[in-house]
């Protein structure tokens, strides 16, 4: 009944041995819970409850208040809250919790936690402490012990009411409105001493509840004096309960047990009050009975307790059997419980099946009901069969009720209780529903799927007949007026395995030996560390009957830390158990020290070496390694160990079909079985990866956009496959992907790993896989885009480096292509591959990089414009292109113009993403670059012939041969590159196995060389040869000019500025500014890069400046043909002026001679040359005076100063030796 403790009421309870640790799980606090109502606002001390230590004079546990504060006592320490006011005449829910691992209790008021403080500082530790047993508990008042007797402290009485006081020893889900009792304190009258005032019945305090547990004792008196068998007693008890209980009370479970002889003395039941007739009942006819009842609708707890006590004390007579059933009234105890799921039966010798009294809708909870030994009402031991079925079905329920409770009630009423029993009912979630079909069109109907097991108590002769009977019973319509149930898609399967076999289970709490038991039963084992406590395990009955996870809550840990694993021996049978232990230990470790890492990895090695590695075990191992990689531990000493473990997992794994992939957030392992005779190639790739997520793997597919790793194995790899044999495993290739580069940290300075790591290996290879004829191609995405084109290096993990700790090595690997986002490597062996980035070789910061790019593009654009003007000028005006230097200059300008234009449009062409177009753009850029270098070299050759080899040099078709060399040699080199290595050109990573090649995503949109070897041979080496020759010619020319200047008269010497301008013109014409690129390293790298970019991108502008703008004859041609008005110069004026200055005084007396053509140009494009002399006269003069002095004189005529009349040169100019013509060409 609902009782409250009034103002004068005091309840005393002497508690039996108490070894509990009250605890709670936020936000569902548990421990001590009760309702408190103040009738007077108290400022003096008061007590709600107090549990006192039996020996020490302090409160072990208690709750009260004083002076406006709530007070909590725990182990003699007083804790108080801030001053608060509880409203008078209102009920407040108070919950006090404490966990043995915490250092303070927790107090909740109306569901909200309040802060509490210790009144006095104490050094007492609460860890692992327990409440003392055999103490005393009082409600509503404090007390002390005097000579073992309870002495009440009257001034601490509660001025109010206390209701629903409950005390738990374990975690519970409790709210203030629940009516269940605690598991430590029972409201049984015999346990309490009310002294002079009994608890007051308060009808206003009602708590309605449906689930109850009834315990009682009964005796069966037979007229024939025979002993009543347990099965017969159970049948009689079930019929008796059906008869005496009202129709609103249902019986989900009835259990009957024999009374042990220790419970009887001299033929009397061990009760306080014994009925006279039971005094003569034989001991063998006395039984304990445990009944679970479900009250529909819920009723007040007190009302149910009164009704159960009244009904169950009624005697029961069975006329047909001439027997009588009598109960002990004082043994009847009705207790509300949370549900029937958590209820367990001790010593379950016999138990009836769930039954229903009436057809009124019952509400019965049967979620995961764990039945014990069950039998039908009329079946004896000999008739109990071992026939089990599993039933799956879909049901449509009409009515507004809980579907699970409805199905439980329907099954108990549909299946005959004397023939079969439902052992377990489980509702299937929507994603697992069995054969889902269309839903019945009804607003008040719902569709559910369920699965349950049926044990046949009295089997028919044929199993098929029993199956048909179950199907027939389930298909029968059910309608009780409130609800209706319709079934469909019934699937019945016989359970052939209904036992859980014995099993050794190693856990952190010790080794448990679980015996063989039947499905649906529980078994217990003592805890290894504290044998007084027990562990429980349930055998789940199903088509594949199996053990459930054990309940080890009451057992203490044996393996508390990772080093404790050193004492655990790995065997083939306990591998998964040790895996579970390691996983449990790693949960609370974000960092592992050296010893812990060594212990865990040693255990993983033992597991791989001793166990059969199934895919499930392999996945568990990979998960642990992934957790280790994601920790903040120092993995440098254990990199080789981790790599060996992951490879061994792939090599030893069995139980898969042709291929298997194990995925974890930081690692992936894929194994593929191959047929040696049919192997052509194999690829492995990772399409995407994000930290914390599992990678996406693809096999034998081409890389997609965003792929982070890709490896392609050549066909020659099959030569290393193991030879077929009886004892040899099939050929297997193992791929590995590591998503955390931190695993591969080394003590080496400088270069860092800028990619993920991918590897491939062959299991049981017939020989070491190295020096392959065909390369293994590895493509890796950069973790940090290489926008500054830093040096990258293709490497593999060498296990022997760094004194056996491992390190990166580049032997047998070379870079095939690298962009800002990807690098492709070619290697002649198999191992773990990566790409190192050396930022120390690229100190260019982003700001300077951007400025240099802008300078280059602007310079190329400006150069293109002025190179075009230069070409048009020399091409349009015939008089400017008569001599060889001018013709060579035109070709050089055309080559540089093509180079600049090809460079400017390269990025745009690359952005189209067309492979052929990108190859064409790259080869065109390569061609014009080589052509530019070649014409620079030909400029030097022509200069050498003109200034050094002056005599006896004759080259027929001189310019034609120069053109063949200048444009032909670059063409031959480009064609050879395409023939030898057709993949040398490109803009991104292309797969040559595709007919329509698609490029990977890359931000480096530029078409150029993809192979370093080809680049260095066809560009760098060629440029080095050209520039070495040009530098030599440059020195020779400067020396020749110096000698000429020293031999010239003093009046004809030019100034220093004029000579410096000539040197600059010669440097630009020979392309010596390109040699700056070979020195762009070291501290002056940035400065040299600016110089290189500025000079070479503006080379076309400088050519225009020195060879057009600074040329007098070019300016004359512009003024003659392009200017108007007073700026225009008449052509005849130039001719007369030149003729008057160029005439020789004496006529030729000798007849004309056949001139010998010279390699030297006797036409000059310098500012000192003239067009007045005819070709024939110049050739003749050159033949007569082949020496340099005459050549210089003929070139110096236009610069002779004229007399005021303009008809004659100054006397002091005649007969002088001015600067040579090539010096005029370069310095004029």
């Amino acid at each position: 009944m609902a009782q409250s403790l009034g103002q004068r009421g005091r309840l005393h309870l002497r508690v039996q041995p108490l070894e509990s640790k009250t605890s709670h799980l936020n936000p569902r606090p548990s421990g001590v819970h009760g309702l408190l109502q103040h009738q007077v606002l108290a400022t003096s001390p008061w007590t709600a409850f107090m549990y006192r230590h039996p020996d020490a004079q302090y409160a072990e546990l208690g709750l009260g208040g004083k002076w406006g504060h709530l007070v909590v006592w725990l182990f003699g320490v007083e804790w108080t809250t801030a001053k608060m006011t509880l409203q008078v005449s209102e009920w407040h829910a108070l919950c006090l919790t404490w966990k043995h691992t915490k250092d303070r209790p927790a107090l909740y008021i109306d569901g909200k936690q309040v802060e509490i403080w210790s009144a006095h500082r104490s050094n007492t530790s609460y860890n692992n402490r327990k409440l003392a047993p055999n103490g005393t508990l009082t409600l509503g008042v404090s007390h002390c012990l005097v000579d073992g007797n309870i002495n009440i402290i009257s001034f601490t009485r509660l001025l109010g009411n206390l209701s629903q006081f409950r005390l738990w020893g374990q975690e519970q889900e409790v709210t203030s409105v629940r009516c269940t009792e605690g598991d430590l304190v029972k409201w049984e009258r015999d346990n309490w001493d009310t002294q002079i005032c009994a608890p007051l019945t308060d009808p206003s305090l009602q708590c309605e509840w449906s689930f109850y547990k009834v315990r009682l004792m009964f005796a069966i008196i037979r007229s024939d004096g025979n002993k009543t068998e347990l099965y017969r007693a159970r049948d009689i008890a079930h019929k008796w309960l059906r008869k005496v209980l009202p129709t609103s009370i249902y019986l989900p479970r009835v259990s009957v047990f024999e009374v042990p002889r220790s419970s009887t003395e001299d033929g009397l039941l061990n009760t306080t009050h014994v009925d006279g007739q039971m005094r003569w009942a034989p001991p063998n006819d006395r039984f304990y009975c445990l009944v679970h009842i479900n009250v529909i609708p819920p009723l007040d707890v007190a009302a149910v307790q009164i009704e159960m006590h009244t009904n169950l004390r009624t005697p029961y007579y069975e006329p047909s059997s001439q027997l009588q059933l009598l109960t002990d009234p004082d043994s009847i105890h009705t207790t509300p419980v949370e549900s029937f799921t958590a209820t367990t039966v001790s010593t379950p010798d016999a138990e009836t099946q769930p039954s229903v009294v009436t057809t009124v809708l019952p509400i019965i909870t049967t979620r995961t009901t764990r039945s014990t030994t069950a039998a039908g009402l009329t079946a004896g031991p000999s008739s109990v069969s071992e026939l089990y079925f599993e039933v799956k079905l879909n049901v449509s329920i009409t009515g507004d009720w809980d579907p699970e409770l409805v199905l439980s009630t329907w099954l108990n009423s549909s299946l005959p209780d004397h023939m079969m029993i439902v052992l377990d009912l489980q509702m299937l979630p929507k994603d697992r529903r069995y054969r889902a079909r269309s839903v019945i069109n009804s607003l008040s109907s719902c569709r559910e799927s369920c699965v349950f097991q049926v044990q046949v108590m009295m089997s028919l002769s044929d199993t098929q007949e029993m199956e048909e009977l179950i199907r027939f019973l389930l298909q029968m319509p059910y309608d009780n007026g409130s609800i209706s149930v319709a079934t469909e898609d019934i699937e019945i399967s016989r359970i052939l395995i209904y036992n859980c076999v014995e099993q050794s289970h190693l856990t952190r709490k010790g080794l448990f030996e679980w015996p063989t038991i039947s499905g649906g039963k529980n078994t217990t084992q003592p805890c290894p560390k504290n044998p007084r406590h027990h562990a429980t395990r349930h055998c789940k009955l199903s088509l594949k009957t199996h053990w459930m996870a054990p309940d080890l809550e009451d057992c203490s840990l044996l393996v508390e830390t990772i080093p404790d694993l050193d004492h655990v021996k790995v065997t083939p049978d306990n591998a998964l158990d040790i895996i579970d232990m390691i996983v449990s230990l790693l949960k609370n470790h974000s960092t592992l020290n050296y010893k812990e890492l060594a212990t865990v990895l040693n255990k993983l090695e033992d597991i791989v070496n001793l166990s059969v590695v199934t895919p499930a075990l392999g996945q568990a191992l990979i998960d642990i390694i992934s957790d280790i990689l994601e920790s903040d531990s120092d993995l440098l000493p254990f990199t080789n160990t981790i790599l060996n473990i992951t490879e061994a997992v792939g090599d030893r794994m069995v139980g898969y079909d042709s291929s298997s992939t194990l995925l974890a957030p930081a690692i992936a392992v894929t194994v593929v079985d191959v047929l040696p005779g049919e192997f052509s190639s194999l690829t492995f790739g990772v399409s995407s990866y994000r930290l914390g997520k599992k990678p996406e793997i693809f096999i034998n597919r081409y890389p997609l956009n965003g792929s982070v790793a890709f490896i392609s194995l050549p066909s020659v790899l099959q030569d290393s496959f193991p030879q077929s044999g009886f004892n040899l495993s099939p050929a297997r290739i193992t791929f590995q992907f590591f998503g955390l580069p931190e695993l591969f940290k080394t003590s080496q300075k400088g270069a860092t790993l800028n990619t993920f790591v991918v590897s491939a290996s062959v299991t049981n290879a017939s020989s070491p896989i190295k020096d392959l004829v065909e390369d293994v191609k590895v493509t890796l995405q950069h973790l940090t885009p290489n926008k500054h084109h830093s040096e990258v290096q293709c490497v593999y993990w060498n296990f022997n480096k760094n004194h056996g700790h491992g390190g990166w090595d580049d032997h047998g690997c070379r870079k095939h292509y690298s962009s800002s986002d990807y690098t492709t490597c070619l290697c002649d062996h198999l191992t773990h591959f990566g790409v190192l980035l050396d930022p120390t070789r690229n100190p260019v910061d982003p700001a300077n990089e951007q400025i240099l790019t802008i300078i280059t593009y602007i310079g190329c654009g400006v150069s293109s414009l002025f190179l075009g003007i230069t070409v048009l000028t020399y091409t349009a005006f015939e008089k400017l292109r008569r001599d060889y230097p001018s013709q060579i200059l035109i070709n050089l300008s055309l080559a540089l113009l093509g180079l600049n234009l090809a460079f400017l449009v390269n990025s745009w062409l690359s952005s189209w993403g067309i492979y052929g177009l990108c190859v064409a753009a790259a080869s065109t850029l390569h061609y014009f670059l080589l052509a530019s270098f070649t014409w620079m070299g030909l400029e030097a050759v022509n200069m050498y012939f003109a200034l050094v080899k002056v005599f006896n040099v004759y080259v027929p078709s001189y310019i034609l041969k120069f053109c063949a060399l200048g444009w032909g040699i670059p063409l031959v080199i480009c064609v050879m590159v395409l023939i030898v290595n057709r993949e040398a050109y490109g803009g991104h990573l292309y797969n040559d196995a595709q007919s329509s090649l698609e490029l990977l995503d890359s931000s480096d949109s530029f078409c150029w060389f993809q192979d370093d070897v080809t680049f260095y041979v066809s560009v760098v080496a060629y440029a080095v040869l050209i520039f070495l020759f040009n530098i030599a010619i440059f020195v020779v020319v400067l020396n020749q000019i110096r000698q000429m200047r020293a031999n010239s008269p003093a009046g004809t010497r030019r100034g220093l500025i004029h000579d410096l301008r000539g040197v600059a013109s010669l440097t630009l014409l020979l392309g010596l500014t390109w040699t700056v690129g070979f020195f762009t390293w070291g501290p002056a790298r940035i400065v040299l890069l600016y110089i290189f970019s500025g000079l070479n991108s503006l080379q076309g502008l400088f050519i225009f400046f020195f060879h057009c703008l600074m040329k007098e004859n070019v300016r004359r041609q512009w003024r003659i043909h392009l200017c108007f008005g007073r700026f225009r110069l008449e052509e005849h004026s130039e001719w007369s002026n030149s003729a008057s200055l160029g005439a020789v005084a004496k006529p030729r007396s000798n007849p004309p001679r056949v001139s010998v053509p010279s390699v030297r140009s006797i036409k000059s494009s310098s500012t000192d040359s003239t067009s007045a002399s005819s070709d024939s006269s110049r050739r003749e003069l050159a033949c007569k005076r082949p020496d340099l002095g005459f050549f210089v004189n003929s070139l110096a005529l236009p610069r002779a100063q004229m007399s005021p009349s303009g008809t004659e040169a100054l006397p002091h100019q005649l007969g002088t030796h001015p600067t040579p013509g090539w010096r005029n060409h370069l310095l004029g």
Side-chain angles (χ1 to χ4, degrees), residues 190 225 407 572 581 668 766 794 842 941 966 971 1022 1025 1143:
D190 293 342
L407 290 179
M581 295 169 64
S766 59
C794 294
N842 185 48
V941 171
L971 181 62
Y1022 187 79
L1025 294 177

Side-chain angles (χ1 to χ4, degrees), residues 201 292 537 986 1053 1118:
T201 301
H292 293 157
R537 197 173 189 186
R1053 295 180 182 180
W1118 285 348

Side-chain angles (χ1 to χ4, degrees), residues 839-910:
T840 60
R841 301 187 182 183
N842 185 48
V844 181
D845 56 275
N848 286 318
E849 179 76 15
Q850 186 175 8
I851 294 174
L852 288 171
T853 302
I854 294 175
I855 290 175
T856 302
Y857 275 94
I858 293 177
C860 289
V862 172
S863 291
S864 298
L865 174 63
F866 287 101
L867 284 171
I869 296 175
T870 301
V871 172
L872 288 176
T873 297
Y874 277 84
T875 304
F877 305 137
E878 188 271 339
K879 293 182 180 181
L880 299 179
R881 64 174 186 273
R882 290 176 179 175
D883 55 4
Y884 294 160
S886 298
Q887 295 175 19
I888 295 173
L889 180 65
I890 293 174
N891 285 277
L892 175 60
S893 299
L894 287 174
L896 289 174
L897 178 61
L899 174 63
N900 289 328
L901 293 178
F903 177 81
L904 291 174
V905 301
N906 191 292
S907 296
W908 176 69
L909 294 176
S910 177

Side-chain angles (χ1 to χ4, degrees), residues 56 156 281 294 814 1061 1110 1226:
T156 62
N294 195 351
R814 67 184 188 277
R1061 185 179 64 184
M1110 300 297 295
L1226 299 174

Side-chain angles (χ1 to χ4, degrees), residues 794-995:
C794 294
V795 292
Y796 75 96
W797 187 258
N798 188 339
F799 284 78
N800 298 322
K801 292 194 69 173
N802 298 326
H803 308 289
H805 290 158
W808 292 113
D809 197 344
D810 62 352
H811 179 73
C813 289
R814 67 184 188 277
K815 182 177 67 175
H816 175 63
Y817 158 77
S818 183
S819 67
S820 64
D821 290 331
Y822 288 91
T823 292
T824 297
C825 302
L826 300 178
C827 297
D828 60 5
H829 53 80
L830 292 184
T831 183
H832 301 78
F833 302 105
V835 174
L836 297 181
L837 175 69
D838 191 355
T840 60
R841 301 187 182 183
N842 185 48
V844 181
D845 56 275
N848 286 318
E849 179 76 15
Q850 186 175 8
I851 294 174
L852 288 171
T853 302
I854 294 175
I855 290 175
T856 302
Y857 275 94
I858 293 177
C860 289
V862 172
S863 291
S864 298
L865 174 63
F866 287 101
L867 284 171
I869 296 175
T870 301
V871 172
L872 288 176
T873 297
Y874 277 84
T875 304
F877 305 137
E878 188 271 339
K879 293 182 180 181
L880 299 179
R881 64 174 186 273
R882 290 176 179 175
D883 55 4
Y884 294 160
S886 298
Q887 295 175 19
I888 295 173
L889 180 65
I890 293 174
N891 285 277
L892 175 60
S893 299
L894 287 174
L896 289 174
L897 178 61
L899 174 63
N900 289 328
L901 293 178
F903 177 81
L904 291 174
V905 301
N906 191 292
S907 296
W908 176 69
L909 294 176
S910 177
S911 64
W912 286 75
I914 302 175
Y915 178 73
L917 183 61
C918 191
V919 170
S923 59
T924 301
L925 183 63
H926 184 208
Y927 174 76
F928 280 110
L929 180 63
L930 295 181
S932 300
F933 292 159
T934 305
W935 280 108
M936 294 175 193
L938 292 176
E939 284 275 14
V941 171
N942 187 62
M943 200 175 299
Y944 174 77
F945 285 157
L947 297 180
V948 180
K949 294 291 184 179
V950 178
F951 302 101
N952 301 324
V953 177
Y954 171 68
V955 179
S957 304
Y958 184 69
I959 292 298
L960 181 61
K961 292 179 180 179
F962 266 39
C963 289
L965 294 175
W967 300 110
I969 292 177
L971 181 62
V972 172
I973 294 176
C974 292
V975 171
M976 290 180 63
V977 168
L978 290 174
I979 293 175
V980 174
N981 186 5
R982 63 190 181 93
E983 295 181 354
Y985 296 122
H988 305 281
L989 292 177
Y990 298 92
N991 195 313
D992 56 1
Q994 287 180 292
S995 57

Side-chain angles (χ1 to χ4, degrees), residues 895-1189:
L896 289 174
L897 178 61
L899 174 63
N900 289 328
L901 293 178
F903 177 81
L904 291 174
V905 301
N906 191 292
S907 296
W908 176 69
L909 294 176
S910 177
S911 64
W912 286 75
I914 302 175
Y915 178 73
L917 183 61
C918 191
V919 170
S923 59
T924 301
L925 183 63
H926 184 208
Y927 174 76
F928 280 110
L929 180 63
L930 295 181
S932 300
F933 292 159
T934 305
W935 280 108
M936 294 175 193
L938 292 176
E939 284 275 14
V941 171
N942 187 62
M943 200 175 299
Y944 174 77
F945 285 157
L947 297 180
V948 180
K949 294 291 184 179
V950 178
F951 302 101
N952 301 324
V953 177
Y954 171 68
V955 179
S957 304
Y958 184 69
I959 292 298
L960 181 61
K961 292 179 180 179
F962 266 39
C963 289
L965 294 175
W967 300 110
I969 292 177
L971 181 62
V972 172
I973 294 176
C974 292
V975 171
M976 290 180 63
V977 168
L978 290 174
I979 293 175
V980 174
N981 186 5
R982 63 190 181 93
E983 295 181 354
Y985 296 122
H988 305 281
L989 292 177
Y990 298 92
N991 195 313
D992 56 1
Q994 287 180 292
S995 57
S996 58
L997 300 173
E998 298 179 358
L999 57 104
L1000 294 173
D1001 185 22
S1002 176
S1003 61
D1004 186 15
S1005 182
F1006 196 84
C1007 297
W1008 188 230
F1009 278 99
Q1010 314 307 316
D1011 180 56
D1012 288 341
V1013 175
T1014 307
F1015 170 74
Y1016 284 113
V1017 171
S1018 65
V1019 177
V1020 177
Y1022 187 79
V1024 168
L1025 294 177
I1026 293 292
F1027 293 133
L1028 287 177
F1029 176 75
N1030 285 8
I1031 291 173
I1033 296 299
F1034 178 74
V1035 173
V1036 171
V1037 169
L1038 288 184
N1039 182 61
Q1040 188 76 12
I1041 293 175
R1042 184 186 63 80
Q1043 293 178 2
M1044 290 180 180
R1045 186 183 181 196
N1047 296 330
S1048 63
T1052 61
R1053 295 180 182 180
R1054 313 284 177 91
L1056 179 62
I1057 301 300
H1058 186 274
D1059 291 341
L1060 291 177
R1061 185 179 64 184
V1063 172
S1065 174
L1066 183 62
T1067 301
L1068 293 168
L1069 197 64
L1070 296 181
L1072 299 184
T1073 56
W1074 288 83
T1075 59
V1076 178
F1078 294 99
F1079 303 97
T1080 54
W1081 53 272
R1085 175 177 172 81
I1086 298 296
V1087 177
L1088 292 176
L1089 282 175
Y1090 276 101
I1091 296 174
F1092 178 83
S1093 300
L1095 291 178
N1096 294 316
S1097 63
L1098 294 174
Q1099 186 177 6
L1101 175 62
F1102 295 137
I1103 288 176
F1104 171 80
F1105 178 79
F1106 286 109
H1107 297 280
C1108 287
L1109 196 60
M1110 300 297 295
K1111 291 277 190 180
E1112 182 180 348
N1113 61 335
V1114 175
R1115 293 198 304 269
R1116 283 181 188 152
Q1117 293 299 318
W1118 285 348
R1119 292 184 62 184
I1120 291 173
H1121 299 285
L1122 302 178
C1123 295
F1124 299 93
R1126 64 187 183 91
F1127 297 101
R1128 182 179 177 85
L1129 184 66
E1130 295 299 333
E1131 185 173 2
H1132 65 85
S1133 62
E1134 179 192 10
W1135 176 261
S1136 60
N1137 181 36
S1138 300
S1140 62
L1141 294 176
V1144 181
K1146 64 178 182 178
R1148 292 180 294 173
S1149 59
N1150 296 329
R1153 296 164 49 185
V1154 179
S1155 61
V1156 179
S1158 172
V1159 74
R1160 290 187 300 136
S1161 175
I1162 55 177
K1163 307 171 187 176
S1164 176
S1165 60
S1166 69
T1167 55
D1168 297 332
S1169 66
T1170 177
S1171 60
S1173 302
S1174 65
D1175 293 340
S1176 60
S1177 62
R1178 291 173 182 270
R1179 291 193 188 99
E1180 183 178 3
L1181 290 173
C1183 293
K1184 291 180 178 179
R1185 298 287 306 273
D1187 59 278
L1188 192 59

